[in-house]
Amino acid sequence: MVNQLLAGVHIASAAEAIAFAARLGLNTRLLFDFITISGGTSWMFENRVPHMLNNDYTPYSALDIFVKDMGIVTRESSSLKVPLQLSTIVHQLYLS
């Protein structure tokens, strides 16, 4: 569950970061190269962002799996009374 929490949040944050960089007028390809050698990188960032930059919308994982996995994470955290705000928001993003 912890791995899926990180994977789900990393994909969402990578997409948000690249969209923000584009709106700032930054060269997103150059930014990608910089981030991959910086502390902000993750496997999901390095794996999924090149597809985003190439407008490649081929599914590389099923969205339903992330909805399911993030749902498990948020339900379990709720039952344990552990607030996971980011995971809950990401779950809602995947649902929408």
Side-chain angles (χ1 to χ4, degrees):
M1 272 189 285
V2 174
N3 182 73
Q4 293 315 102
L5 178 158
L6 290 168
V9 170
H10 285 194
I11 289 173
S13 65
E16 192 169 272
I18 292 301
F20 184 49
R23 278 295 174 111
L24 289 171
L26 301 176
N27 179 325
T28 53
R29 292 183 187 279
L30 186 59
L31 179 73
F32 171 78
D33 292 338
F34 180 76
I35 295 294
T36 59
I37 60 168
S38 300
T41 197
S42 70
W43 187 90
M44 285 298 193
F45 184 89
E46 292 179 23
N47 182 267
R48 296 307 202 272
V49 170
H51 303 290
M52 295 174 198
L53 296 176
N54 292 326
N55 293 319
D56 177 4
Y57 299 106
T58 305
Y60 290 95
S61 56
L63 181 60
D64 288 347
I65 291 173
F66 281 101
V67 170
K68 173 189 68 71
D69 289 350
M70 295 306 289
I72 291 168
V73 168
T74 57
R75 282 189 301 279
E76 186 66 18
S77 72
S78 180
S79 74
L80 296 172
K81 296 184 177 28
V82 176
L84 297 179
Q85 289 90 356
L86 292 176
S87 298
T88 301
I89 291 167
V90 167
H91 183 229
Q92 292 300 310
L93 287 170
Y94 289 141
L95 283 170
S96 68

